Amino acid sequence: MAEETPWQQALRYANRANPYPFYTELRKTPVARQPDGTYVVSTYREIVTLLHDPRVSSDVRKLPSRAPAPAAAEPGAEPITEAVIELEPNIITCDPPEHDHDRRMMTRHFFGPADAPHQISDLEPDIRRIVAGLLDGMRGKTRIDVVDEFAYPLPVTLICKILGVPLEDEPRFHAWIETALDALDFGPEAASEEMRSRLAGARRSVKELAQFMAGLLEQYAERPGPGMLSAMVHDGGPDGRMSKGVLASNAVLLLFAGHETTVNLIAHSVLTLLRHPEALEELRRRPELIVPAVEELLRFESSVQFWHTRSAVEDIDIAGTTIPAGSPIFLVYGSANRDPQRFENPDQLDLQRPDNQHLGFSQGIHYCFGAPLARLEVQVAVDEFVRRVENPRLVTDPPPYRHNQIFRGPRHVLVDIDGIRD
Amino acid sequence: MTLVATLAELVSDFRANGRIVIVGASLAGLRAAEALREEGFSGSLTIIGDEPYEPYDRPPLSKQVLKGWMPAEHTLLPRFREVDAQWRLGVAATGLDRVARQVRLADGDQIPYHRLLIATGTRARPWPNPAEAALEGVFALRSRDDAARLQQALATRPSRVLVIGGGFIGSEVASVCRELDIPVTLTERGPAPLVGALGGVIGEIAAQMQRDHGVDLRCGVSVSSLEGDAAGHVRRARLSDGTTIEVDVVLAALGSIRNVEWLQGSGLAAGPWGVGCDAGGRAFDINGVVTDSVYVAGDVARMPHVLYEYQFLAMEHWDNAVFGAEVAAHNMVNLEPHYRPHLLLPGFWSGQFGVNIKSVGVPPFGDEIIFTQGSVKDRSFAAAYGRRGRIVAAVTFDHGKWLEYYARLIEQSAPFPPPPPGWDRPDIMKPVPAEFPAPGVPTAIPDVVLTGHDPNERRAEFRPRGH
Amino acid sequence: MRIVVDLNRCQGYAQCVYLAHEVFRLTGTEALTYDPNPDDARRLQVERAAAACPVQAIMIDRLDGAERGARS
Ligand SMILES: Cc1cc2nc3c(=O)[nH]c(=O)nc-3n(C[C@H](O)[C@H](O)[C@H](O)COP(=O)(O)OP(=O)(O)OC[C@H]3O[C@@H](n4cnc5c(N)ncnc54)[C@H](O)[C@@H]3O)c2cc1C
Ligand code: HEM
Ligand code: HEM
Ligand code: SF4
């Protein structure tokens, strides 16, 4: 078996807590062809270039054959399988003009009409209330799990409210998403018996999630309810109505993207601050630094480490390499955000980093749709955590990580505390 | 002491004790002052400006200010650091004596300098008939006061506005009028609006856009005269095609005039297209010899650009003022080999009729154009300009996220036409003539002007004549 | 307070609009306009907008009052 590439090593579960040394290796070849024909792009400049290159497609239908790999293929040299192919394309997996059109429709419902786009910023009091409630609930405890008790409940509550997904269904869709995420592996370990056996379950889960969403939309079609999804089912606005299939697919995307990433950022932010007591102290002294701090925390531990649905539609010459038409392209945001060519001392946390134009939310037309919501949630959550939690101390470092490499984040962050201030 | 050490001492002595004078207290002047301090210049700094206001930003004047969203005085520019300067505001510079190294002011003062930055920008070209220009209701738009006056006039809901000239500013004002639901006529001597800056193919799209928004657009005609009523208020315009229109507000948007008159007799290469300088911002004298003590930045500068066969470019663009000021400031307090070049790829934006128009490069340098992305019908597209098989510029309508792709191609002098995109292809993807007006055609109000290779600009070929 | 947006950099992501709609507005889908001298009460919102801008096009005054008003 050939030696593993830095990319393959970065993807191994054992390296989940610290993939950065492998990224450093990886960046020596900014555009690195992998044994399975994927081109992995790890440097800031090249990623930004490709994000603005109209010869790059995000439409998975344009990917060449993505059939499940033959069992005999060399481990790590097989194409990644798909678990969600029945779903119609959503905005993250399609190109203009469909992308721009669908995103515009969703924007109107998510943020509000063009002349009053303040639905998300209006949520701030709700966010504050939820966060306060979560912290109040920790009173009397000496040990908390930041993931389960703090980072997860906030975003999931909010996205359910915005979309109009009943919060009672949370246990079901949470289980589906967890099962899917735990099965989806881009690294050499995907070939293991263990991971292969998880795939079937993952397919079933994603299917159930899709059916759940379709059912909910049916229900709203018959009887309008609160939230964005019901409104979109009934909307005949300037851009017309979204087809059922596309709406269902985007609804799954919003539900999923609307909390998984945010959970990881809140958890990573607490973890990172506890690892950097000076920064924590700085933030205590100057709470107004929370705004730049969240940008830096996202740069430092990016919640979406890379994105995997792009491909070259034409041959593309970049950084001395030609990406042949038809090749999958992975953009490694987590590496770009630590690129020393772009960020001075990238491995140092600097809450007041000037010129922090990170790629944590990407750039170009697929720039994160939910970024204003995510930012508000994380700013309020981290700000209040720092202000109210007395003497927090990490119990295990590094904490256990979740399996999936894209949505990289800790499974639990146990913290001992002395109490909760008012 | 070695020569090198002496030079180094010279630089540090100048940075500590030198006298720098900046003429023009607007975008370029302010950013240059800040950059000088940033570069470590701690000597004496004087900023002279004929407007009574501290530096403000002009682009909002034809957009949000005219719309009445905020008053004209809400345009003061943010300051990024202390400049610790002597501000001489409300007094014009009237002369330059390069032998005595002094700037003469309108109030008689003489301000000595070791190094001088010329940042006097441009002013609006007035309506050529002074009696007609003096009629009440006839406006130009360059300054904060101009914008406040025009905004007031629009707020009284005139029965019809006449905009003379279909350049960017004229088109933006027509757009604001429509947003305010005020009837507006726009006359353009050329075949279409924006034709000088973006060519006839794009001009035709802009024309359609104006008509769709209810602008009474009249191309290929000019205004022969303006007529007032007994009270001296403008009431009527006569057009070259014999028609007349009843109007009570007129905006002359005829392009600009460089503020170089005060340099007469200074021996600098100053002319209708500005003050010639090298790519480092150092002014040329009339013989094409570069000076050591006089620098130029912003709208008033014209300098050679490597990407455009070293033709002298005059760029009336916001980012050119910012970047040019920084480069000039750096070079004013450094010596060779530490000079920096002003290698900005020109860029421009304009918001009109709900569309964000952006361009990079120098469109008039191209002779062909090809649509590369999107849909002309939806007014959401990208197009590239080519010359001799190379891409030289690009324009986008509501496709701004793609512009930097084209900027990169231009910087690399990549082949034209560029490779096709993977999706969102326009219906027709074939280069066609870009249809820029021939040099000398008195229509265009280009905002980037190729002014030839001669530092002293003895033949300013593209000069628009009057209206 | 005073701000300026470098509209050559701006790519119309509208992040500023969603975070501070009293100060930033879109005309159409991409053309940004804004109040260059917003009320001081909006500072937190404007700072959030500036930090969120994906291309860091929003620049905020770094001097408060004192020196900037300096005149002849
Ligand atoms: C209405 C309007 C809209 C615009 N929109 C855009 C846009 O959308 N995009 C874009 O890229 N650009 C736009 N521009 C252009 C942009 O504003 C200019 O490029 C920029 O202002 C140039 O700055 P400057 O400092 O070089 O010159 P100016 O801003 O012209 O400043 C020169 C200053 O010097 C002063 N001065 C002149 N002569 C003397 C003298 N003898 N003594 C003392 N002071 C003197 C002038 O009064 C003025 O204050 C617009 C301009 C206007 C007027
Ligand atoms: C910290 C939290 C978050 C991070 C780090 C994050 C990151 C990202 C990134 C990097 C992308 C670009 C993917 C690509 O390369 O194509 C993206 C897209 C997207 N995100 Fe987020 N995200 C976060 C939170 C959210 C939230 C809260 C929502 C929804 C409410 C959301 C919805 C989306 C959607 C719909 C897209 C697709 C946009 C498009 O393709 O046009 N995200 N996100
Ligand atoms: C509407 C919803 C979705 C669509 C249309 C969609 C589309 C796709 C497609 C086409 C692929 C295959 C890409 C490839 O082969 O490289 C893929 C892979 C992936 N999807 Fe999604 N997806 C959706 C929702 C989800 C959800 C809910 C999750 C999380 C649970 C998720 C996580 C992943 C991951 C981690 C991969 C990569 C692993 C693999 O392909 O085996 N996606 N997605
Ligand atoms: S966030 Fe930045 S890029 Fe987006 S519209 Fe505002 S200024 Fe422009």
Side-chain angles (χ1 to χ4, degrees):
Chain A
M1 196 176 99
E3 203 182 311
E4 279 184 8
T5 63
W7 174 239
Q8 289 170 321
Q9 295 176 63
L11 295 176
R12 281 198 168 271
Y13 183 69
N15 297 323
R16 197 74 77 248
N18 186 14
Y20 301 111
F22 302 99
Y23 289 169
T24 303
E25 268 312 295
L26 189 58
R27 281 191 301 268
K28 289 181 181 160
T29 315
V31 180
R33 186 182 185 282
Q34 300 302 310
D36 68 356
T38 298
Y39 283 75
V40 171
V41 188
S42 55
T43 43
Y44 187 95
R45 198 178 52 168
E46 278 65 34
I47 290 181
V48 170
T49 301
L50 289 174
L51 285 171
H52 297 277
D53 191 324
R55 294 166 301 173
V56 175
S57 169
S58 281
D59 188 341
V60 283
R61 290 165 298 184
K62 291 186 186 131
L63 277 173
S65 136
R66 306 243 78 201
E74 201 189 316
E78 56 200 40
I80 297 148
T81 51
E82 301 173 22
V84 281
I85 203 66
E86 300 101 79
L87 281 163
E88 301 223 22
N90 52 38
I91 56 171
I92 213 168
T93 56
C94 72
D95 295 330
E98 291 83 15
H99 168 274
D100 300 1
H101 173 267
D102 291 353
R103 182 163 170 148
R104 198 159 58 233
M105 283 173 81
M106 289 160 65
T107 297
R108 203 173 62 245
H109 288 282
F110 192 78
F111 294 101
D115 55 349
H118 47 74
Q119 260 162 230
I120 293 303
S121 53
D122 287 350
L123 288 173
E124 189 168 345
D126 283 321
I127 299 176
R128 294 212 172 266
R129 197 168 31 72
I130 297 169
V131 168
L134 293 171
L135 289 169
D136 289 343
M138 294 174 192
R139 285 182 197 276
K141 293 193 180 174
T142 54
R143 176 167 292 186
I144 55 169
D145 177 1
V146 173
V147 177
D148 285 352
E149 295 173 62
F150 188 64
Y152 180 76
L154 171 67
V156 83
T157 309
L158 277 161
I159 196 70
C160 281
K161 180 184 151 120
I162 294 167
L163 298 180
V165 172
L167 201 51
E168 304 87 79
D169 290 317
E170 183 273 330
R172 292 203 295 160
F173 69 70
H174 184 49
W176 292 326
I177 289 175
E178 287 295 302
T179 314
L181 274 187
D182 282 345
L184 297 174
D185 188 311
F186 292 84
E189 285 149 340
S192 71
E193 276 310 309
E194 162 73 17
M195 290 312 294
R196 279 160 191 273
S197 70
R198 287 187 196 175
L199 266 182
R203 286 220 176 79
R204 216 178 316 114
S205 293
V206 174
K207 208 167 187 161
E208 281 178 296
L209 181 59
Q211 281 165 354
F212 162 76
M213 198 52 89
L216 186 66
L217 294 176
E218 278 307 322
Q219 209 180 301
Y220 280 140
E222 281 164 26
R223 204 159 27 82
M228 162 178 176
L229 296 181
S230 177
M232 284 195 76
V233 169
H234 293 279
D235 181 43
D239 284 306
R241 198 168 303 177
M242 209 179 249
S243 84
K244 263 190 198 150
V246 175
L247 179 54
S249 180
N250 278 305
V252 171
L253 171 66
L254 283 174
L255 177 63
F256 169 77
H259 69 282
E260 281 305 324
T261 46
T262 314
V263 175
N264 291 338
L265 182 54
I266 296 175
H268 260 140
S269 295
V270 172
L271 177 65
T272 303
L273 287 171
L274 294 183
R275 282 171 172 169
H276 295 84
E278 2 41 77
L280 182 62
E281 196 40 48
E282 193 182 7
L283 202 49
R284 265 209 197 98
R285 265 199 332 270
R286 299 184 52 195
E288 76 277 9
L289 287 183
I290 190 64
V291 175
V294 167
E295 303 303 319
E296 174 68 349
L297 290 161
L298 179 54
R299 182 195 71 81
F300 200 72
E301 298 283 12
S302 307
S303 295
V304 174
Q305 282 285 307
F306 57 96
W307 199 255
H308 60 289
T309 60
R310 286 181 178 76
S311 61
V313 191
E314 308 268 334
D315 288 1
I316 297 175
D317 292 324
I318 182 163
T321 304
T322 300
I323 306 179
S327 309
I329 300 174
F330 285 15
L331 303 181
V332 191
Y333 301 127
S335 169
N337 284 340
R338 299 275 194 130
D339 185 346
Q341 301 276 5
R342 180 59 181 77
F343 299 103
E344 223 171 286
N345 297 322
D347 296 327
Q348 264 168 37
L349 186 73
D350 175 1
L351 301 187
Q352 300 188 63
R353 182 175 289 277
D355 185 27
N356 192 354
Q357 196 173 312
H358 62 75
L359 299 180
F361 289 115
S362 185
Q363 229 185 57
I365 58 164
H366 293 283
Y367 185 82
C368 178
F369 178 84
L373 172 64
R375 284 184 159 112
L376 265 187
E377 292 181 70
V378 182
Q379 283 168 13
V380 172
V382 176
D383 180 36
E384 288 293 293
F385 188 94
V386 167
R387 189 175 69 80
R388 294 190 59 193
V389 178
E390 273 179 59
N391 192 21
R393 304 170 305 279
L394 269 182
V395 177
T396 29
D397 194 9
Y401 267 77
R402 307 206 291 173
H403 188 89
N404 185 262
Q405 295 108 339
I406 297 183
F407 308 100
R408 171 177 165 268
R411 169 89 60 206
H412 302 288
V413 176
L414 294 184
V415 172
D416 283 344
I417 60 174
D418 290 354
I420 302 292
R421 292 190 196 91
D422 284 332
Chain B
M1 203 156 55
T2 67
L3 187 57
V4 176
T6 317
L7 283 177
E9 202 156 280
L10 207 72
V11 170
S12 65
D13 180 48
F14 176 73
R15 286 185 185 185
N17 305 310
R19 280 194 65 91
I20 292 183
V21 171
I22 297 174
V23 184
S26 179
L27 183 61
L30 172 63
R31 293 299 176 241
E34 291 177 336
L36 282 168
R37 294 304 189 204
E38 201 66 36
E39 294 274 347
F41 175 71
S42 57
S44 125
L45 185 56
T46 305
I47 304 174
I48 299 158
D50 60 2
E51 294 185 83
Y53 310 114
E54 54 171 312
Y56 61 88
D57 206 26
R58 295 181 204 275
L61 297 179
S62 53
K63 305 172 182 86
Q64 50 269 55
V65 168
L66 271 197
K67 240 181 268 180
W69 183 19
M70 82 265 321
E73 63 266 24
H74 260 227
T75 51
L76 294 175
L77 279 164
R79 302 292 188 82
F80 300 139
R81 59 160 299 128
E82 305 207 345
V83 293
D84 189 18
Q86 284 211 256
W87 295 80
R88 301 291 308 262
L89 297 178
V91 54
T94 50
L96 171 62
D97 182 341
R98 285 167 58 223
V99 178
R101 291 187 181 235
Q102 283 182 341
V103 174
R104 198 163 49 250
L105 299 191
D107 62 8
D109 275 6
Q110 304 271 4
I111 313 288
Y113 67 87
H114 296 122
R115 288 208 160 163
L116 171 71
L117 179 67
I118 298 170
T120 43
T122 64
R123 64 181 182 276
R125 182 177 296 277
W127 181 248
N129 178 321
E132 294 174 13
L135 288 169
E136 210 177 304
V138 178
F139 299 90
L141 180 54
R142 178 79 196 173
S143 71
R144 195 176 128 166
D145 293 342
D146 294 340
R149 280 192 293 263
L150 182 56
Q151 196 275 326
Q152 264 169 18
L154 294 184
T156 62
R157 308 209 59 78
S159 63
R160 177 164 295 273
V161 174
L162 170 65
V163 175
I164 309 173
F168 280 108
I169 292 179
S171 298
E172 286 177 2
V173 173
S175 169
V176 168
C177 288
R178 292 313 301 141
E179 277 185 74
L180 299 173
D181 203 23
I182 296 171
V184 55
T185 299
L186 188 146
T187 61
E188 161 61 48
R189 291 179 65 149
L194 308 186
V195 67
L198 297 173
V201 174
I202 299 296
E204 197 39 56
I205 297 168
Q208 202 48 52
M209 191 161 83
Q210 299 211 355
R211 293 197 170 104
D212 286 357
H213 282 84
V215 177
D216 169 30
L217 176 66
R218 317 237 185 140
C219 297
V221 295
S222 52
V223 174
S224 343
S225 64
L226 300 172
E227 295 169 11
D229 59 16
H233 195 292
V234 67
R235 290 297 169 212
R236 206 166 302 102
R238 284 191 189 282
L239 307 192
S240 59
D241 62 2
T243 54
T244 57
I245 1 174
E246 308 291 313
V247 294
D248 34 26
V249 169
V250 173
L251 173 73
L254 307 171
S256 52
I257 298 177
R258 268 78 187 158
N259 291 319
V260 292
E261 293 78 358
W262 68 282
L263 295 170
Q264 227 160 38
S266 68
L268 289 176
W273 285 121
V275 183
C277 60
D278 72 3
R282 296 185 297 173
F284 285 112
D285 74 7
I286 39 170
N287 300 309
V289 177
V290 77
T291 61
D292 277 334
S293 55
V294 183
Y295 290 72
V296 200
D299 279 10
V300 74
R302 55 185 287 273
M303 58 177 62
H305 200 298
V306 51
L307 284 177
Y308 301 100
E309 296 172 353
Y310 292 97
Q311 284 207 56
F312 281 76
L313 288 190
M315 294 185 256
E316 293 177 70
H317 288 175
W318 192 89
D319 60 347
N320 173 56
V322 173
F323 192 61
E326 287 168 6
V327 168
H330 173 90
N331 293 340
M332 286 173 93
V333 296
N334 283 283
L335 277 180
E336 200 236 325
H338 304 294
Y339 287 148
R340 260 168 47 191
H342 181 49
L343 286 182
L344 182 72
L345 195 58
F348 185 89
W349 81 89
S350 170
Q352 43 180 290
F353 304 101
V355 171
N356 190 24
I357 302 177
K358 298 190 86 167
S359 84
V360 281
V362 179
F365 191 62
D367 44 27
E368 288 185 297
I369 185 170
I370 182 172
F371 291 96
T372 51
Q373 278 175 262
S375 148
V376 172
K377 181 169 75 48
D378 296 341
R379 301 205 180 106
S380 173
F381 62 83
Y385 294 83
R387 172 183 172 113
R388 294 199 207 117
R390 301 277 142 196
I391 173 170
V392 297
V395 62
T396 58
F397 276 45
D398 274 357
H399 256 51
K401 293 188 181 67
W402 300 106
L403 201 61
E404 64 176 79
Y405 170 67
Y406 298 97
R408 214 161 264 136
L409 294 179
I410 297 163
E411 277 163 9
Q412 297 161 356
S413 283
F416 177 91
W423 31 261
D424 202 19
R425 292 189 185 169
D427 299 337
I428 304 165
M429 280 192 66
K430 186 162 100 344
V432 295
E435 296 173 12
F436 282 97
V441 171
T443 146
I445 308 169
D447 57 296
V448 177
V449 192
L450 293 152
T451 63
H453 289 97
D454 189 335
N456 195 27
E457 193 200 328
R458 259 160 291 199
R459 22 156 223 138
E461 58 269 52
F462 292 0
R463 181 174 176 195
R465 281 173 223 131
H467 39 114
Chain C
M1 65 187 296
R2 301 178 185 183
I3 60 171
V4 70
V5 180
D6 180 344
L7 288 167
N8 286 300
R9 283 183 83 99
C10 167
Q11 297 181 359
Y13 290 98
Q15 301 299 299
C16 52
V17 178
Y18 304 137
L19 295 168
H21 72 279
E22 295 92 345
V23 179
F24 303 93
R25 287 186 200 172
L26 284 183
T27 316
T29 53
E30 201 182 281
L32 183 75
T33 54
Y34 62 101
D35 180 350
N37 296 171
D39 200 284
D40 265 326
R42 304 249 175 256
R43 184 171 282 272
L44 173 64
Q45 272 175 292
V46 172
E47 276 171 0
R48 280 177 174 168
C53 174
V55 289
Q56 297 290 291
I58 303 170
M59 289 163 286
I60 304 180
D61 211 332
R62 284 193 222 126
L63 289 187
D64 289 322
E67 205 268 352
R68 75 179 177 201
R71 349 201 352 166
S72 51

